[in-house]
């Protein structure tokens, strides 16, 4: 196990940003957020600020820092506007070169090499709807990075319908504490008594625990409760959904992306962005299943979406105070702690982490 200092040391954090984030594929967003010309998604964490932007149908990624005076170019998480800096109005083209510069003659001689003012480029690769970037010189391919999870993520993303909830939730905790938490099955009995347990999850043994390279997944089966008939009626409009299973299916794409399907009736994409050793932003996105909801069905699905959103907020805020107390605890002890034998996903995460950091 890694020492508790790994959760708060500034030195460890700097190494993580280089080896686990800068040198690897990083998730940015979904193609559904980048569907139209000028759509953009930006991610920012301690290691980098990156923007992916749609230029007339093609996706390009750059460092989101203006080559004039370092202003961030896109200041929102996502939106629709040209790649134009808000400070002095430089606009950048699909090659990352400034092509419109107010008072251009004050900066450049005629025929000057614009490549010198080019934004740092990243390579964009997609797996289904999931958009990833990597530094452009890095030879690693996304298929190779995701391994056996590539077709899994690709197929799953085909079942994602419209997004119905997006939020960013700050956590005063190290990013690895959030990762370990989503891989941890044993805390549900106590912490999620009124949520996961009440909904029938975490009562049966885990199924299909899968470890592949750095990534992992499991199914948390749902036990039928005494209000099963009522539940079946409430969700009867989803009976012919394309992806159906009686479980909470959870995938972790190393190092910080979580993809979950709740019986194929709703989908969750969580993205933990490390801001500082003791500070993480959790970006959450929720999706309804990809299917046509006509008239009455639309209304029923809107109600289901509201319920899913309320449930999600409940679970996140059940975990958050504990995760923040773990951060404080890790700063007070030198003990390394212990992980249960059955928690193979946490063990695998920590092993892969230690290998990369060694
Ligand atoms: S800092 Fe971006 S245009 Fe000046
Ligand atoms: Fe939890």
């Amino acid at each position: 196990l890694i020492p508790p200092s790994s959760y708060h040391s500034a030195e460890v954090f700097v190494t993580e940003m280089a080896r686990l984030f800068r040198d690897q594929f990083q998730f940015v967003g979904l193609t559904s957020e980048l569907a139209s010309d000028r759509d953009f998604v930006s991610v920012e964490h301690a290691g980098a600020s990156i923007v992916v932007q749609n230029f007339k149908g093609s996706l390009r990624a750059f460092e989101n820092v203006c080559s004039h005076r370092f202003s961030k170019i896109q200041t929102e998480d996502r939106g629709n506007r040209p790649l134009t800096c808000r400070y002095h109005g430089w606009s950048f083209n699909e090659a990352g070169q400034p092509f419109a510069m107010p008072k251009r003659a004050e900066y450049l001689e005629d025929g000057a090499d614009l490549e010198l003012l080019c934004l740092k480029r990243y390579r964009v690769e997609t797996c289904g709807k999931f958009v990833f970037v990597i530094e452009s010189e890095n030879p690693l391919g996304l298929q190779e990075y995701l391994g056996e999870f590539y077709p899994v993520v690709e197929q799953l993303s085909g079942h994602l319908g419209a997004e119905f909830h997006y939020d960013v939730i700050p956590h005063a905790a190290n990013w690895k504490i959030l990762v370990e938490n989503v891989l941890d099955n044993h805390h549900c009995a106590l912490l999620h008594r009124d949520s996961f347990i009440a909904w029938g999850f975490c009562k049966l043994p885990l199924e299909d625990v899968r470890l592949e390279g750095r990534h992992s997944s499991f199914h948390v089966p749902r036990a039928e409760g005494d209000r099963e008939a009522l539940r079946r009626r409430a969700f009867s409009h989803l009976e012919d959904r394309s992806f159906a299973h009686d479980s909470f299916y959870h995938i972790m794409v190393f190092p910080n992306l979580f993809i979950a399907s709740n019986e194929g009736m709703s989908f969750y994409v969580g993205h933990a962005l490390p801001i500082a050793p003791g500070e993480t932003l959790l970006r959450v996105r929720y999706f309804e299943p990809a299917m046509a909801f006509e008239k009455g069905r639309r209304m029923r699905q809107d109600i289901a979406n509201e319920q899913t959103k309320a449930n999600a907020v409940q679970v996140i805020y059940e975990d958050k105070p504990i995760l923040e107390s773990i951060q404080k605890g890790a700063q007070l002890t030198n003990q390394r702690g212990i992980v249960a034998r059955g928690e193979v996903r946490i063990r695998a995460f920590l092993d892969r982490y230690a290998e990369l950091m060694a």
Side-chain angles (χ1 to χ4, degrees):
L1 288 180
I2 59 177
S5 58
S6 294
Y7 298 89
H8 59 82
S9 145
E11 206 178 313
V12 168
F13 189 73
V14 168
T15 310
E16 287 175 351
M17 290 309 105
R19 298 202 190 151
L20 277 62
F21 289 81
R22 260 203 304 283
D23 290 352
Q24 312 291 337
F25 271 100
Q26 301 186 51
F27 170 70
V28 179
L30 291 130
T31 53
S32 46
E33 297 166 304
L34 290 161
S36 307
D37 185 33
R38 297 178 169 194
D39 277 352
F40 71 87
V41 176
S42 75
V43 289
E44 181 159 0
H45 53 69
S49 181
I50 302 166
V51 58
V52 179
Q53 177 107 16
N54 181 322
F55 286 90
K56 298 196 168 76
S58 68
L59 298 184
R60 300 296 165 92
F62 303 105
E63 184 169 64
N64 187 25
V65 177
C66 184
S67 52
H68 177 214
R69 299 307 301 158
F70 330 123
S71 169
K72 278 182 65 188
I73 304 172
Q74 301 294 17
T75 50
E76 279 127 21
D77 294 354
R78 53 188 193 169
N80 182 282
R81 68 183 288 276
L83 196 56
T84 298
C85 179
R86 293 178 191 269
Y87 196 13
H88 310 93
W90 285 23
S91 287
F92 296 86
N93 65 17
E94 73 281 358
Q97 284 183 353
F99 70 91
M101 306 159 77
K103 300 195 189 298
R104 180 185 171 116
E106 295 223 16
Y107 296 100
L108 296 172
E109 307 287 326
D110 278 347
D113 185 4
L114 282 175
E115 189 61 22
L116 295 172
L117 291 171
C118 197
L119 301 176
K120 177 181 165 181
R121 300 180 187 105
Y122 286 79
R123 178 155 51 86
V124 182
E125 283 197 45
T126 55
C127 173
K129 290 182 180 164
F130 289 80
V131 181
F132 293 80
V133 296
I134 192 163
E135 293 203 342
S136 40
E137 329 62 72
N138 195 315
L140 187 64
L142 186 59
Q143 288 221 10
E144 183 192 344
Y145 184 71
L146 295 177
E148 281 179 27
F149 276 103
Y150 187 93
V152 175
V153 171
E154 188 179 34
Q155 271 173 28
L156 189 69
S157 85
H159 302 291
L160 266 59
E163 181 191 284
F164 62 86
H165 182 51
Y166 176 86
D167 199 6
V168 182
I169 301 145
H171 283 66
N174 185 267
W175 68 276
K176 299 187 293 299
I177 294 174
L178 276 77
V179 175
E180 290 178 36
N181 172 246
V182 298
L183 306 179
D184 183 309
N185 190 47
H186 288 358
H187 76 284
C188 293
L190 202 57
L191 209 53
H192 300 310
R193 248 182 334 229
D194 302 327
S195 53
F196 274 123
I197 298 289
W199 306 327
F201 294 105
C202 309
K203 291 177 174 170
L204 302 167
L206 294 171
E207 287 172 2
D208 295 335
V209 182
R210 194 162 166 190
L211 306 172
E212 153 67 19
R214 301 168 187 170
H215 322 294
S216 65
S217 68
F218 59 34
H219 281 264
V220 183
R222 191 178 65 82
E224 294 204 347
D226 40 359
R227 297 169 70 190
E228 204 58 27
L230 194 74
R231 191 176 185 281
R232 217 169 288 138
R233 263 204 307 281
F235 294 113
S236 60
H237 68 293
L238 292 176
E239 250 157 29
D240 49 356
R241 66 192 185 277
S242 55
F243 188 56
H245 54 96
D246 293 326
S247 61
F248 180 79
Y249 177 30
H250 187 276
I251 302 171
M252 189 264 307
V253 174
F254 191 91
N256 64 339
L257 171 63
F258 320 128
I259 307 169
S261 159
N262 189 357
E263 302 182 63
M265 300 196 294
S266 65
F267 299 89
Y268 164 66
V269 175
H271 190 198
L273 295 164
I275 303 302
E279 201 186 328
T280 304
L281 293 180
L282 180 65
R283 279 190 186 180
V284 301
R285 296 164 167 92
Y286 291 85
F287 302 86
E288 61 183 32
M291 58 193 285
F293 294 105
E294 287 117 17
K295 296 179 198 127
R297 282 184 171 205
R298 181 67 267 164
M299 216 168 72
R300 294 179 68 183
Q301 186 55 31
D302 287 344
I303 295 167
N305 289 347
E306 277 308 307
Q307 190 57 54
T308 302
K309 185 174 145 184
N311 292 351
V313 169
Q314 182 181 347
V315 171
I316 288 169
Y317 285 91
E318 283 168 352
D319 280 319
K320 186 172 135 84
I322 293 288
L323 305 187
E324 296 182 339
S325 84
I326 294 173
Q327 183 65 28
K328 292 195 184 120
Q331 290 169 19
L332 295 172
T333 187
N334 287 319
Q335 297 230 29
R336 283 179 184 238
I338 187 168
V339 172
R341 267 187 296 277
E343 298 280 25
V344 292
R345 292 182 75 198
I346 303 181
R347 286 166 170 263
F349 169 72
L350 292 175
D351 286 349
R352 299 294 90 75
Y353 171 85
E355 277 164 27
L356 283 163
M357 292 290 285

